Amino acid sequence: MSGDFLGHQPELSLGEKLWQINWKLILLLTAIASVGWAMLYSAANGNVDPWASRQAVRFGAGICVMVVVGLIDLRIWLRLSYPIYGVALVLLIAVEIVGEIGMGAQRWIDLGIIQIQPSEIMKIAIVLALARYFHGASLEEVGRPTFLIVPLLMVLAPVGLVMKQPDLGTALMVMMVGGAIFFLVGVRLWKFAIVLAGGAASIPVAWQFLHDYQKNRVLIFLNPENDPLGAGYHITQSKIALGSGGVAGKGYMMGSQSHLNFLPEKQTDFIFTMLAEELGMIGGTGLLLLYSLLIAYGVIIALRCRNQFGRLVGLGVSTNLFLYVFINIAMVMGLIPVVGIPLPLISYGGTAMLTVLFGFGLVMSVYIHRDVRITRRTVAGEL
Amino acid sequence: MERDTDRYRSLTRRALMLGGMQVGLLSTLVARMYYLQVLESDRYTVLADENRINMRLLAPSRGQVLDRFGVPLAVNQQNFRVVMVQEQARKIDRMLTLISEIVPLTEADWRRITREIQRKRAFVPVTVKENLTWDQVTMIEVNAPDLPGVSIEVGELRSYPYEAATAHFLGYVGAVSESELNGDPVLALPGFRIGKSGMEKFHDASLRGVAGTSQLEVNAVGRVIRELSRQEGQPGRDITLTIDIGLQQYAQDRLKEEKSAAAVVMDVHTGGIYSMASNPSYDPNLFTTGINAEAWEDLLSDPTTPLTNKVVGGQYAPGSTFKMLVALAALDSGIVGPRHTVFCPGHMDLGDHRFHCWKKGGHGTLDLVGALKHSCDTFFYDLARRIGIDRIHDMAKRFGMGQRTQLDLPSERPGLIPSRDWKQANLGKSWTQGESLIAAIGQGYVLATPLQLAVMLSRLVNGGFAVKPHLTKQIERGPAEQTAWPSLGVNKTHLDMVLQGMNAVMNQPGGTAYKMRISEAGYEMGGKTGTSQVRRITMAERSTGVLKNEQLPWRQRDHALFVGFAPLHAPRYACAVIVEHGGGGSAVAAPIARDILLEVQRRDSARGAPQLSSAVPAAEPARTAPPPGLGDKPGRIGG
């Protein structure tokens, strides 16, 4: 039965691919990034230095990477998915070892020109690896618990390593992206219930493994007034800045709390607070709308794809973006404990931007190769 | 293919469910934003302003204290201090060395500066040195380019140009103590000073003024970004005193010849105090800048009590200066007539006790005027025996003795006028007649402050009006001095007799102060001497001969007192003088009072006040004192 499909495989020329480049996607991403530049310009009191200009350069480079990734055949990405995951896992272990040599938390590998954060690579690699694993799986197979052992390990191995770094935010994201894909491929809900119950039961044990500062963060989250000047200061100040912004905001570049440095890390993790202070609820909701459009667009592209791998990659990348946005904004609003997750495309920083743009490069590839059919056997044969 | 369709349907369904969850979660973010930015917005706006707006108080300038002619007695001097901002100065040690070439810095200064630099944030100025001279200020300004981060700030420092001469009534200001903090934020300002004693304390509320505020925008570390608004405060109000600083200085200088003495001059009609001198004194400027412990200890332990204003805080047996009141009480009682005479053999016997007159041989027969003139003790023993202590007590009270005069100055003492009831209540014993005799010559339990003596004399010479003393002439454009005092209801002819007696003391040969009379033409005065025993003279000592004052240690010598008034026929100034352990009132206290009363009258004429007539014969008593409020200040400049 596979023969039929192999016969209809459309091979796209480079020209056809270039024609297929999804400008709407690039436009949406640029729109969001522009908001980021504007906020970084404001954060530097009306200067492109030191943040806005560098961020723009990074975005330019990121878009190029994205287009290149998009032009590469989805089947190649399918073939590379396990090696990429493997490399990411090895890098995580390497960082662990280097981290032991260095001091405290180590999340980066310095390659001279750029610093690589393996945990960021893992956010994409886990999507690719799980998409590949479930690409050929029928609903019956997914229904077999033994079939789920391998992907579970695929998720838990990096989660464990990232937790050790320690990077609670990334661990959370990897876990949730994994969970989302498990959910999408049809794992029964009661199995999630069991895992959740097990997770809840293991909280007291997990608590023992948390670093003191992480325990503190959780405790402070539960009662921020306990520590108004210490670790609770950030979240209290963030809420003050946000709340005092009101509906219409204090005006662009007029955010007193951000500009008088009451707001910590206004150019990175807390940039949404500054946006909400200066542009108010209107600005905040507007940005959320832009993100929603991007996520929804990713989902639409995924669902229009004719192969399971592409669908899962598209949905995984979209879910990834959603998690970035939700965790970051929920954090600065005091809905969840403070974890180090940037606001994608807006927070100052290169790695997260590259991850997101690389992810959307894959989405573009899914779009370009939406009509490519890849059977289970194809995969097996090629391996 | 079938499988793939199933799988695709399942995936689509689940993707929609996942999308739904995402929409739900994003909605909670919007809801949270609505909660924070709409529902709770006001609360957070307040919190944000509390964050960034720092209210700073601007200390008001303290009001000045002026003398009756507008001469400043307590002023605010510009206090230049050199300050340094460490983040701009960078090399702090080098900078301090440069500064010390202009402004000498002590070892202690260095230590304090280093300590403050470590404690304060880098952008907060640290005071390097206060009280710079103008030369030092200009030197630092000239060298400003070499002194980055170093600048001059101007503050205010209370200063008392007349130093010791005004210390006792002006008092001084000092740093706010813990117990004085009452929630008024201005008191918590660094360097803020409040009145600690004297007029500075009494009028502190008026002098202090109202603090202004400055709204400053600060960033998270407290650095000032800009001033948002500024509300100037109100400077303190000026206080004009009744004091004549020229006279005050004269009196203070005159008293310096004695070890410990006090003198007060008041207006017998208005009660305004022209001079209130107490020697020794101290320099109140020492207190503004912070007195050192050693100097403070010295002031406290000095037996001549330089910290006490003896005019209001010293209580002395008034001695013979009390006799006028006994005379009045006797006349007023009707028991003794104006022509009453007593034979003085030098003593008076009561029961088995003998009461001595100060003159061993006795005065012979004396009438009331003569008795005052010679200050005959026997005469007043006789009066006291006839009228009893309670009549004396009542009359003394009417003349302001034995109670605070309600002077507008803190720390006044009440003195003491005994009575039967008083003794019963306080000592639990009944009054004896002998004690009445002792009281009649101003000894025994009787205690008075010099101010009370001046008040008593004022009421005697102003026609019997219940004048009360005061130091405050005006609080800015506040109410003027009061002059319409209620009458004491004393018979004028009786008062005249007493005045005649006081005239005789000074101006008739044989009067106890005749030798000390004013010899300058055109000036005259009346008065009464007093000498009060500090120790008890025993019978044994009396038989062997009483020791002379010069033979005794200072602490046991008699107090010398004098009360005097001038001009003689239109009394205007009353003066009371005490010289602690000075000996005889006539020899020691009278000349001081005379000099002061002469000076105050000279100052009158120097200012062009009409010369008061001295054509009235001395024998004729001043029949009518000018009605209160009219004869007060004819043509007085600035009065």
Side-chain angles (χ1 to χ4, degrees):
Chain A
M1 82 182 177
S2 58
D4 285 348
F5 302 122
L6 279 172
H8 289 88
Q9 283 287 42
E11 285 298 331
L12 298 170
S13 67
L14 186 63
E16 284 172 314
K17 284 182 179 178
L18 285 173
W19 183 246
Q20 289 284 326
I21 285 177
N22 194 326
W23 293 105
K24 281 188 230 168
L25 195 59
I26 294 176
L27 196 72
L28 259 177
L29 289 165
T30 313
I32 294 171
S34 311
V35 174
W37 301 328
M39 292 331 291
L40 290 174
Y41 181 78
S42 170
N45 293 316
N47 285 309
V48 291
D49 278 330
W51 299 313
S53 55
R54 289 194 219 169
Q55 189 80 341
V57 171
R58 277 179 196 150
F59 182 75
I63 285 291
C64 295
V65 170
M66 173 185 160
V67 170
V68 170
V69 169
L71 292 177
I72 292 171
D73 196 303
L74 196 59
R75 279 164 294 194
I76 296 176
W77 288 119
L78 177 76
R79 219 172 289 144
L80 287 175
S81 51
Y82 285 156
I84 290 174
Y85 175 83
V87 168
L89 202 61
V90 168
L91 284 175
L92 272 179
I93 294 164
V95 134
E96 182 63 32
I97 292 161
V98 177
E100 292 288 319
I101 297 161
M103 36 196 268
Q106 173 111 21
R107 297 173 188 177
W108 297 275
I109 286 178
D110 202 337
L111 291 185
I113 322 162
I114 52 161
Q115 290 181 327
I116 294 180
Q117 206 172 332
S119 56
E120 283 295 331
I121 299 177
M122 188 48 87
K123 283 175 193 165
I124 295 298
I126 192 71
V127 171
L128 283 172
L130 289 178
R132 161 141 199 193
Y133 186 82
F134 286 113
H135 165 67
S138 64
L139 282 174
E140 288 81 25
E141 281 172 318
V142 172
R144 280 206 307 272
T146 47
F147 187 75
L148 297 179
I149 291 171
V150 174
L152 257 178
L153 289 174
M154 278 180 178
V155 174
L156 291 179
V159 165
L161 287 166
V162 174
M163 286 266 256
K164 256 202 112 199
Q165 279 187 358
D167 184 349
L168 206 57
T170 300
L172 208 64
M173 270 189 69
V174 171
M175 206 145 56
M176 289 172 89
V177 168
I181 292 177
F182 273 60
F183 175 76
L184 287 167
V185 297
V187 174
R188 294 284 163 195
L189 287 178
W190 60 266
K191 287 179 182 152
F192 284 93
I194 287 175
V195 172
L196 282 177
S202 67
I203 282 177
V205 181
W207 184 252
Q208 306 296 320
F209 288 98
L210 286 182
H211 285 248
D212 279 346
Y213 85 92
Q214 288 171 322
K215 289 183 190 173
N216 254 338
R217 279 179 180 179
V218 176
L219 291 175
I220 287 157
F221 167 72
L222 295 174
N223 193 358
E225 280 74 26
N226 258 356
D227 187 19
L229 290 178
Y233 176 83
H234 289 194
I235 201 62
T236 308
Q237 291 302 328
S238 179
K239 277 155 75 177
I240 290 174
L242 219 138
S244 63
V247 175
K250 294 175 184 167
Y252 181 55
M253 308 246 294
M254 310 268 274
S256 61
Q257 301 304 296
S258 326
H259 286 278
L260 298 172
N261 293 326
F262 289 101
L263 185 65
E265 300 177 50
K266 59 174 181 285
Q267 79 280 12
T268 57
D269 286 2
F270 283 86
I271 198 162
F272 183 80
T273 308
M274 190 176 100
L275 181 140
E277 189 194 8
E278 298 192 346
L279 306 179
M281 191 180 163
I282 295 170
T285 318
L287 183 67
L288 278 181
L289 216 62
L290 277 178
Y291 278 124
S292 304
L293 280 176
L294 186 58
I295 294 161
Y297 196 43
V299 171
I300 289 166
I301 288 173
L303 291 181
R304 279 180 59 189
C305 184
R306 300 184 77 170
N307 60 72
Q308 184 77 344
F309 176 73
R311 291 173 200 144
L312 290 178
V313 166
L315 289 172
V317 169
S318 297
T319 307
N320 225 329
L321 182 76
F322 167 81
L323 288 171
Y324 266 117
V325 173
F326 179 78
I327 292 175
N328 176 271
I329 296 180
M331 168 188 87
V332 303
M333 286 180 175
L335 283 173
I336 60 167
V338 173
V339 289
I341 291 289
L343 189 61
L345 303 169
I346 294 192
S347 286
Y348 180 76
T351 320
M353 177 175 271
L354 212 62
T355 309
V356 169
L357 290 177
F358 191 95
F360 276 94
L362 291 175
V363 170
M364 190 182 276
S365 177
V366 169
Y367 176 80
I368 292 173
H369 304 94
R370 58 191 177 277
D371 291 329
V372 175
R373 298 196 175 194
I374 313 168
T375 63
R376 297 167 64 193
R377 195 162 301 170
T378 317
V379 179
E382 277 169 5
L383 278 174
Chain B
M1 192 58 223
E2 266 304 301
R3 274 181 189 162
D4 199 49
T5 314
D6 288 351
R7 208 171 57 164
Y8 183 68
R9 276 202 196 124
S10 163
L11 181 77
T12 314
R13 200 168 52 241
R14 295 249 166 150
L16 287 176
M17 284 166 73
L18 192 67
M21 277 163 65
Q22 294 183 353
V23 168
L25 286 171
L26 289 175
S27 302
T28 63
L29 294 186
V30 175
R32 177 71 169 171
M33 233 184 308
Y34 180 77
Y35 171 76
L36 291 174
Q37 298 193 291
V38 178
L39 300 182
E40 294 274 275
S41 179
D42 292 345
R43 185 167 82 90
Y44 285 115
T45 304
V46 171
L47 285 173
D49 284 345
E50 278 174 11
N51 256 348
R52 78 185 171 102
I53 297 173
N54 207 329
M55 291 286 274
R56 208 156 284 183
L57 282 176
L58 306 169
S61 186
R62 195 172 175 85
Q64 292 194 333
V65 183
L66 312 166
D67 95 333
R68 65 185 301 113
F69 304 115
V71 180
L73 305 182
V75 296
N76 301 310
Q77 255 185 1
Q78 282 187 315
N79 170 27
F80 294 102
R81 43 178 196 271
V82 54
V83 298
M84 182 172 70
V85 179
Q86 49 169 313
E87 69 176 359
Q88 290 163 16
R90 280 190 208 97
K91 287 189 175 165
I92 286 150
D93 276 343
R94 208 186 105 71
M95 211 53 72
L96 286 179
T97 314
L98 283 175
I99 295 172
S100 67
E101 284 168 19
I102 301 167
V103 189
L105 297 176
T106 64
E107 198 67 36
D109 287 332
W110 281 86
R111 274 200 302 275
R112 177 187 54 79
I113 295 163
T114 322
R115 200 173 53 237
E116 275 187 44
I117 281 175
Q118 282 162 357
R119 228 179 26 217
K120 287 181 176 170
R121 289 176 189 270
F123 53 85
V124 178
V126 168
T127 301
V128 175
K129 191 82 178 175
E130 285 199 90
N131 302 322
L132 267 62
T133 65
W134 182 244
D135 281 347
Q136 290 168 333
V137 170
T138 48
M139 281 288 279
I140 287 190
E141 293 290 359
V142 165
N143 290 301
D146 299 330
L147 298 167
V150 176
S151 58
I152 300 286
E153 273 185 8
V154 192
E156 279 187 345
L157 191 70
R158 198 61 155 177
S159 169
Y160 305 98
Y162 294 93
E163 297 175 357
T166 57
H168 283 124
F169 60 86
L170 277 187
Y172 51 86
V173 296
V176 185
S177 72
E178 205 73 41
S179 58
E180 285 162 335
L181 290 172
N182 59 358
D184 183 351
V186 73
L187 294 182
L189 280 176
F192 195 79
R193 295 192 164 88
I194 63 168
K196 289 287 185 179
S197 69
M199 298 310 276
E200 291 274 31
K201 182 177 181 181
F202 190 85
H203 287 300
D204 194 60
S206 301
L207 289 166
R208 193 185 289 170
V210 180
T213 52
S214 162
Q215 274 197 328
L216 298 173
E217 186 174 66
V218 295
N219 70 6
V221 286
R223 186 198 303 271
V224 175
I225 306 299
R226 64 197 164 116
E227 189 173 58
L228 297 174
S229 70
R230 189 185 184 87
Q231 191 179 11
E232 295 294 343
Q234 257 174 29
R237 286 187 282 179
D238 287 350
I239 307 280
T240 304
L241 302 186
T242 56
I243 293 286
D244 171 352
I245 188 60
L247 182 70
Q248 172 69 20
Q249 263 197 315
Y250 178 85
Q252 190 74 32
D253 285 347
R254 184 67 183 78
L255 290 186
K256 275 189 191 135
E257 294 160 31
E258 307 297 335
K259 193 167 180 178
S260 175
V264 56
V265 180
M266 69 180 267
D267 188 307
V268 303
H269 302 300
T270 65
I273 289 172
Y274 291 100
S275 154
M276 179 183 266
S278 181
N279 182 65
S281 185
Y282 58 92
D283 184 357
N285 292 308
L286 293 178
F287 288 84
T288 1
T289 46
I291 190 168
N292 66 49
E294 203 177 317
W296 174 243
E297 202 53 50
D298 284 351
L299 285 174
L300 276 183
S301 59
D302 191 325
T304 61
T305 62
L307 290 172
T308 305
N309 180 357
K310 297 184 182 85
V311 173
V312 294
Q315 301 184 119
Y316 311 93
S320 305
T321 60
F322 192 61
K323 285 175 179 165
M324 283 87 80
L325 292 177
V326 180
L328 266 188
L331 293 171
D332 198 54
S333 69
I335 295 167
V336 172
R339 303 195 189 288
H340 181 77
T341 58
V342 173
F343 175 75
C344 167
H347 58 83
M348 182 173 146
D349 291 327
L350 189 76
D352 57 355
H353 198 87
R354 173 163 286 191
F355 293 85
H356 294 272
C357 182
W358 65 269
K359 193 173 182 186
K360 229 179 173 185
H363 288 97
T365 303
L366 289 171
D367 64 358
L368 195 143
V369 172
L372 282 171
K373 174 182 171 184
H374 297 287
S375 199
C376 171
D377 292 336
T378 311
F379 186 91
F380 291 93
Y381 293 151
D382 175 70
L383 293 187
R385 192 174 54 81
R386 289 168 192 272
I387 63 174
I389 186 64
D390 286 342
R391 284 194 180 84
I392 297 173
H393 168 265
D394 291 347
M395 187 56 74
K397 284 273 170 158
R398 280 160 82 181
F399 277 80
M401 310 276 278
Q403 60 212 312
R404 290 191 175 84
T405 65
Q406 296 169 355
L407 179 71
D408 41 357
L409 193 70
S411 74
E412 193 192 358
R413 294 177 75 182
L416 175 64
I417 299 297
S419 66
R420 288 172 196 279
D421 293 343
W422 171 84
K423 192 182 174 192
Q424 194 65 51
N426 288 278
L427 303 175
K429 288 179 188 154
S430 54
W431 188 262
T432 66
Q433 204 170 20
E435 286 169 334
S436 297
L437 270 53
I438 299 291
I441 61 163
Q443 299 272 162
Y445 300 116
V446 185
L447 287 175
T449 65
L451 179 67
Q452 284 172 339
L453 294 178
V455 169
M456 176 267 285
L457 182 65
S458 296
R459 291 180 180 190
L460 281 173
V461 302
N462 73 0
F465 292 94
V467 63
K468 282 179 184 166
H470 62 268
L471 275 161
T472 313
K473 193 167 158 59
Q474 246 177 359
I475 300 176
E476 249 167 40
R477 283 170 294 282
E481 287 177 281
Q482 181 190 353
T483 47
W485 305 101
S487 172
L488 292 167
V490 186
N491 191 320
K492 283 273 166 30
T493 51
H494 298 167
L495 278 177
D496 289 345
M497 281 191 77
V498 171
L499 260 63
Q500 245 181 290
M502 288 194 285
N503 181 4
V505 167
M506 294 297 304
N507 302 314
Q508 286 180 16
T512 53
Y514 180 69
K515 287 177 189 159
M516 305 303 167
R517 71 190 179 280
I518 295 176
S519 49
E520 276 84 350
Y523 298 107
E524 275 178 323
M525 65 180 281
K528 181 73 194 78
T529 58
T531 305
S532 70
Q533 266 170 232
V534 176
R535 67 198 181 99
R536 190 175 184 85
I537 298 171
T538 60
M539 294 300 285
E541 188 185 333
R542 214 172 270 284
S543 57
T544 58
V546 178
L547 286 169
K548 290 219 171 359
N549 265 305
E550 294 72 38
Q551 297 169 284
L552 292 166
W554 182 73
R555 294 279 254 168
Q556 289 181 24
R557 292 180 198 169
D558 298 338
H559 290 320
L561 296 107
F562 190 87
V563 294
F565 64 93
L568 190 59
H569 302 297
R572 169 121 175 253
Y573 306 105
C575 174
V577 173
I578 164 105
V579 179
E580 282 192 338
H581 311 293
S586 58
V588 181
I592 296 174
R594 175 200 63 198
D595 290 350
I596 292 173
L597 282 172
L598 183 59
E599 175 68 15
V600 70
Q601 292 181 85
R602 275 184 177 147
R603 294 177 66 78
D604 261 355
S605 40
R607 285 192 297 269
Q611 196 81 26
L612 289 156
S613 168
S614 58
V616 186
E620 187 158 325
R623 201 143 286 150
T624 48
L630 284 178
D632 181 22
K633 322 158 190 135
R636 184 152 205 149
I637 299 162

